[in-house]
Amino acid sequence: MQITIVLIVGVLVGGAIGYQLRKILATKNAKNAESLSEKIIEDANIKKKEVLLNAKDESLKIITQAKEEENKRREYLTKLEQKLLNKEDLLEKKIDNSEKKNQEITKKEEEIEKIKEEIEKIKKKEGEELIKVSKMKKEEAKEILLERTEKEIG
């Protein structure tokens, strides 16, 4: 009976020790699992931060490239606009010059027309005078020519 009691006590003590060991091991395993999960979470957070930084860097590069392209296009459009303005100014100057030349031509045409009219009047007057002179005698014509010459000189 003593053996049985010792055996029972031994089993109980062994069970208690086994239970405590198992409890210790379970706690240790739980702590290891917990620290492992914390390490995994920490690594994941570090990786997340790296990915976010890389994404921010990439987005900054894209934004910078887009701004550079926008500035180049703006510069190109500004140069193109300036060229168009220069061409427009040149065209306006040519139009102004052409209009001035047309006005000069019109003015000269008017002057030519006036001169033609004056020539026609003079021809008509001379024709009338020739008719008068032809009806006059030689001496009368000489006197008229002398009078005219004296008027022109004097």
Side-chain angles (χ1 to χ4, degrees):
M1 177 118 200
Q2 236 176 354
I3 292 187
T4 17
I5 293 180
V6 171
L7 196 58
I8 292 178
V9 171
V11 170
L12 286 175
V13 169
I17 291 175
Y19 176 75
Q20 287 299 330
L21 282 175
R22 185 166 151 68
K23 190 176 174 184
I24 291 171
L25 285 175
T27 306
K28 189 176 180 184
N29 284 339
K31 285 182 182 178
N32 283 342
E34 189 177 326
S35 70
L36 182 61
S37 67
E38 286 175 2
K39 176 79 171 141
I40 291 171
I41 291 171
E42 186 180 327
D43 288 346
N45 283 335
I46 290 171
K47 188 71 172 173
K48 177 179 136 183
K49 286 179 183 178
E50 287 176 5
V51 169
L52 284 174
L53 282 174
N54 288 338
K56 284 181 182 179
D57 286 346
E58 191 64 29
S59 67
L60 282 175
K61 285 179 186 177
I62 291 170
I63 289 170
T64 303
Q65 286 176 345
K67 285 183 180 180
E68 286 174 1
E69 286 179 23
E70 179 186 1
N71 288 338
K72 285 179 184 177
R73 285 185 183 146
R74 210 175 256 147
E75 206 173 292
Y76 171 75
L77 289 175
T78 302
K79 286 179 182 179
L80 188 62
E81 182 180 12
Q82 188 59 44
K83 281 182 180 180
L84 289 173
L85 288 174
N86 290 343
K87 285 183 179 183
E88 185 179 341
D89 287 345
L90 184 62
L91 185 60
E92 285 178 8
K93 286 178 183 177
K94 285 182 178 181
I95 290 171
D96 286 345
N97 286 339
S98 177
E99 287 175 353
K100 285 179 184 177
K101 285 180 182 179
N102 284 339
Q103 288 174 349
E104 289 174 8
I105 290 172
T106 304
K107 187 176 178 181
K108 286 183 181 184
E109 286 175 345
E110 289 173 357
E111 288 175 5
I112 290 171
E113 199 56 42
K114 285 180 184 178
I115 291 172
K116 282 182 180 179
E117 289 174 5
E118 286 179 29
I119 290 172
E120 284 300 316
K121 286 179 184 177
I122 291 172
K123 280 183 181 179
K124 188 176 179 182
K125 189 175 180 182
E126 283 182 355
E128 290 172 359
E129 285 186 26
L130 278 176
I131 291 172
K132 280 184 187 177
V133 168
S134 64
K135 292 180 181 176
M136 289 184 202
K137 293 184 184 175
K138 213 177 189 184
E139 299 226 357
E140 289 177 353
K142 278 184 185 179
E143 281 181 37
I144 292 174
L145 281 174
L146 282 174
E147 285 177 17
R148 275 192 191 167
T149 309
E150 286 175 5
K151 283 182 186 178
E152 286 176 11
I153 294 174

